[in-house]
Amino acid sequence: MEKRVNQIKQQLSAQNYKLTPQREATVRVLLENEEDHLSAEDVYLLVKEKAPEIGLATVYRTLELLSDLQIIHKLNFGDGVTRYEFRAEGAEHHHHHLYCLNCGSVDEIMEDLLGPIEKQVESEYNFQIVDHRLTFHGICKRCRGKVEDPKKLYSIKLS
Amino acid sequence: MEKRVNQIKQQLSAQNYKLTPQREATVRVLLENEEDHLSAEDVYLLVKEKAPEIGLATVYRTLELLSDLQIIHKLNFGDGVTRYEFRAEGAEHHHHHLYCLNCGSVDEIMEDLLGPIEKQVESEYNFQIVDHRLTFHGICKRCRGKVEDPKKLYSIKLS
DNA sequence: GTGATTGCAAATTGTTTGCACGCTG
DNA sequence: CAGCGTGCAAACAATTTGCAATCAC
């Protein structure tokens, strides 16, 4: 944890940015909730607990900064809010998401399932791939059995 | 074209909705620009050409209705606007998108590359898949050569 | 007429910006 | 003191909602 905070501090100063207390608090919240895919509002509420004077705009600015520096990633599941997650440490390690239509949870698939497919797409469509987003929408293991008609949920909830 | 309008009309009346002139105009615009992934605003502007009195709210309501009835699909590429596309006619025919970081164009991959992978995910993660979204972000064939550093573009443009 | 549908304006939501102040080198 | 960084409030953009008027059976 301290190690990662420090690492980020260095990434910031390498570009002449400082790890101010607000930024540090934000980073720590993100690290502490790494598996949660928080929205800006989520982050704001959590950061306020440790730094009550912080403004929402600062949180947005910090998230934008971290995103520009490719320290975090913005995610969109179509429910109207942007969520954030840490980038995989090793540059090219992609992963995917499982978005539950019932409870809104987001789980991760930590393996990259698309390696061969990317190659196929690059050559077949003459498209230079920089990244991809793969999300499966459905019912998570915790909601299994609770939902009668997943397709219906789907049409209601999804964008 | 007429055939498809009629088909949609029937889908609507099957659920006790009417294909009003405004709805029909909206549907036609969507059909005429099927490969374009229009935003609500785009649709609004185009619909206004044939039905100048229409309101933006009506367009939104129509798009929402069509989406609820699973006639069209909402899409999010992370650039802040929701775009719409027709659903594949045959229920389970998935396709994928190529989003160009340089020009913002969206092309389609009409084959479903994920069949086997879905099966693997369902069993391995105990997740019941209803749908998936797969988008490749990168440089389209038209922008090839115009861009020096795709990764940089990526960090700037993407959500 | 009764209920669905519309247009318009106002409200909401998520996010961004302008600006004066504060902190740090 | 120069400039980055902040908090606050106002601005914005996309979308949604309330409501009175209108339309279709």
Side-chain angles (χ1 to χ4, degrees):
Chain A
M1 169 87 180
E2 295 313 314
K3 187 174 150 234
R4 297 187 67 185
V5 173
N6 245 294
Q7 187 184 328
I8 289 164
K9 182 173 187 170
Q10 284 168 30
Q11 290 180 74
L12 288 180
S13 51
Q15 314 273 335
N16 288 334
Y17 294 110
K18 295 169 224 166
L19 187 63
T20 64
Q22 292 92 331
R23 285 175 184 167
E24 183 172 337
T26 304
V27 164
R28 283 181 188 277
V29 162
L30 288 170
L31 283 169
E32 284 161 13
N33 299 274
E34 197 162 4
E35 42 336 311
D36 277 350
H37 303 95
L38 303 174
S39 67
E41 190 79 29
D42 293 337
V43 173
Y44 174 60
L45 293 173
L46 289 167
V47 172
K48 272 196 107 143
E49 292 175 10
K50 40 180 76 169
E53 75 292 352
I54 201 172
L56 178 56
T58 301
V59 170
Y60 271 104
R61 282 186 283 230
T62 301
L63 293 171
E64 193 59 33
L65 175 63
L66 294 173
S67 182
D68 284 352
L69 297 185
Q70 315 223 15
I71 294 167
I72 62 176
H73 231 118
K74 292 187 193 177
L75 300 175
N76 253 284
F77 297 110
D79 54 358
V81 286
T82 301
R83 294 149 184 262
Y84 301 84
E85 74 173 2
F86 270 92
R87 283 209 140 203
E89 314 243 353
E92 298 300 324
H93 181 217
H94 292 300
H95 65 276
H96 319 299
H97 294 104
L98 300 172
Y99 179 75
C100 179
L101 296 167
N102 192 53
C103 67
S105 68
V106 179
D107 294 323
E108 309 218 347
I109 296 179
M110 292 309 294
E111 53 189 319
D112 186 354
L113 305 167
L114 293 180
I117 291 179
E118 287 207 345
K119 291 214 174 56
Q120 183 189 343
V121 170
E122 293 221 319
S123 67
E124 201 168 319
Y125 295 89
N126 190 18
F127 186 88
Q128 183 184 359
I129 295 175
V130 175
D131 193 15
H132 61 241
R133 300 297 167 99
L134 173 57
T135 305
F136 294 99
H137 301 260
I139 309 299
C140 75
K141 51 178 182 270
R142 297 172 295 278
C143 291
R144 267 267 159 101
K146 291 191 204 163
V147 185
E148 345 73 73
D149 185 356
K151 298 253 175 190
K152 186 158 207 171
L153 250 189
Y154 173 68
S155 71
I156 297 168
K157 305 250 315 192
L158 214 67
S159 97
Chain B
M1 170 88 180
E2 295 313 315
K3 189 174 150 235
R4 298 189 67 184
V5 173
N6 245 294
Q7 186 184 327
I8 289 164
K9 182 173 187 169
Q10 282 168 31
Q11 289 179 74
L12 286 180
S13 51
Q15 313 274 333
N16 289 333
Y17 294 109
K18 296 167 220 162
L19 187 63
T20 63
Q22 292 90 333
R23 285 176 184 166
E24 182 171 339
T26 304
V27 164
R28 283 181 188 278
V29 162
L30 288 170
L31 283 169
E32 284 161 13
N33 299 274
E34 197 161 5
E35 41 337 309
D36 276 350
H37 303 95
L38 303 175
S39 68
E41 189 79 28
D42 293 337
V43 174
Y44 174 60
L45 293 173
L46 289 167
V47 172
K48 272 197 105 142
E49 292 174 9
K50 40 180 78 167
E53 74 295 350
I54 201 171
L56 178 55
T58 300
V59 171
Y60 272 104
R61 281 185 284 230
T62 301
L63 293 171
E64 193 59 34
L65 176 63
L66 294 173
S67 182
D68 285 353
L69 297 185
Q70 314 222 18
I71 295 168
I72 61 176
H73 232 118
K74 293 188 194 177
L75 299 175
N76 251 284
F77 297 110
D79 54 359
V81 286
T82 301
R83 294 149 184 265
Y84 301 83
E85 72 172 6
F86 270 90
R87 283 211 139 202
E89 314 246 353
E92 299 299 324
H93 182 218
H94 292 298
H95 65 277
H96 319 298
H97 294 104
L98 300 173
Y99 179 76
C100 179
L101 296 168
N102 191 54
C103 68
S105 68
V106 178
D107 294 323
E108 310 218 347
I109 296 179
M110 292 309 294
E111 52 190 318
D112 186 355
L113 305 167
L114 293 179
I117 291 179
E118 286 207 347
K119 291 214 173 54
Q120 183 188 345
V121 170
E122 293 220 320
S123 68
E124 201 169 319
Y125 294 88
N126 191 20
F127 186 89
Q128 183 184 359
I129 296 174
V130 175
D131 192 16
H132 60 242
R133 301 297 167 102
L134 174 57
T135 305
F136 294 99
H137 302 260
I139 309 301
C140 75
K141 51 179 182 272
R142 296 172 294 279
C143 291
R144 268 268 160 101
K146 292 192 206 161
V147 184
E148 346 74 71
D149 184 357
K151 298 252 173 191
K152 186 157 209 169
L153 250 190
Y154 174 66
S155 70
I156 297 167
K157 304 250 316 193
L158 215 67
S159 95

